[in-house]
Amino acid sequence: MYKKLKFWLLWLTAYAGFLLLTLPAIQVVRLLPAAHASTLKIGSLSGTVWNAQAQDVEVGELRFRQAEFSPNVMQLLTGKLSFNIKLSGQDLNAQTTLRSEPEGRWHLSNLKGSVDAAQLPGWLKLSSRFSGMIRLSFDELRVHAQGIQDVRGTVVWDQAGIEAPLP
């Protein structure tokens, strides 16, 4: 009897592991609170929770053609929800590690990215025109629903140009 129970427990564990390894990413995204908010829109999502790809992603005012993400296994082993993310857009590219923190905060580490400065007027609701390339390199960035809480890093604006209308 003990051998049969041991066999069935082993089989059930293997089956549960298989289900976890092949869990579709779309099922996990539906469980996230941000997926129901109007700030996150995903055109199409494919892959598993361990290696997912998304097309036409919008996060607030930011738009990306492609996004790739996978969980950070070392952080998962410590009980923290963390993802490695790579984003590609027409004028914005970035990669970072995103980790969930208590009270709805998000912690981004090793954020590296670049953005065309021509995108700034739309994000900042300005009528000026900007040119150049902005390079971001943040060691730490903490975000809450009310905005950025803490940031450590650098922003470099190469070949900066600002054209503003005269009254």
Side-chain angles (χ1 to χ4, degrees):
M1 178 69 178
Y2 179 71
K3 287 186 178 186
K4 283 185 179 184
L5 180 62
K6 189 174 164 182
F7 169 76
W8 284 109
L9 285 175
L10 179 64
W11 184 86
L12 186 60
T13 304
Y15 183 68
F18 169 76
L19 289 177
L20 184 62
L21 288 174
T22 60
L23 184 65
I26 189 73
Q27 299 300 331
V28 176
V29 168
R30 289 180 182 156
L31 298 174
L32 297 175
H36 301 292
S38 61
T39 58
L40 176 65
K41 296 178 185 174
I42 299 174
S44 66
L45 182 63
S46 62
T48 67
V49 69
W50 301 102
N51 189 13
Q53 301 84 31
Q55 304 292 324
D56 302 321
V57 177
E58 292 182 30
V59 182
E61 298 290 323
L62 303 175
R63 290 177 175 78
F64 302 98
R65 285 189 315 253
Q66 185 175 357
E68 299 174 13
F69 63 93
S70 61
N72 188 326
V73 177
M74 295 306 289
Q75 291 287 324
L76 283 176
L77 293 176
T78 63
K80 296 177 182 172
L81 182 61
S82 178
F83 293 95
N84 298 319
I85 300 174
K86 184 176 180 182
L87 303 163
S88 308
Q90 182 175 350
D91 300 311
L92 176 63
N93 297 302
Q95 63 184 36
T96 188
T97 299
L98 176 69
R99 184 177 74 225
S100 175
E101 290 188 340
E103 300 175 16
R105 290 186 304 238
W106 290 95
H107 175 255
L108 288 88
S109 58
N110 300 320
L111 172 65
K112 307 282 187 230
S114 62
V115 62
D116 186 345
Q119 298 299 311
L120 291 178
W123 298 339
L124 302 175
K125 311 283 191 269
L126 298 173
S127 60
S128 304
R129 288 192 301 192
F130 297 93
S131 61
M133 184 61 68
I134 299 173
R135 289 184 290 122
L136 310 169
S137 179
F138 296 135
D139 298 325
E140 305 284 334
L141 176 66
R142 284 187 169 80
V143 181
H144 196 273
Q146 288 79 23
I148 296 174
Q149 285 189 321
D150 182 31
V151 63
R152 283 189 298 133
T154 59
V155 176
V156 177
W157 190 347
D158 291 328
Q159 300 177 0
I162 301 173
E163 293 180 32
L166 296 174

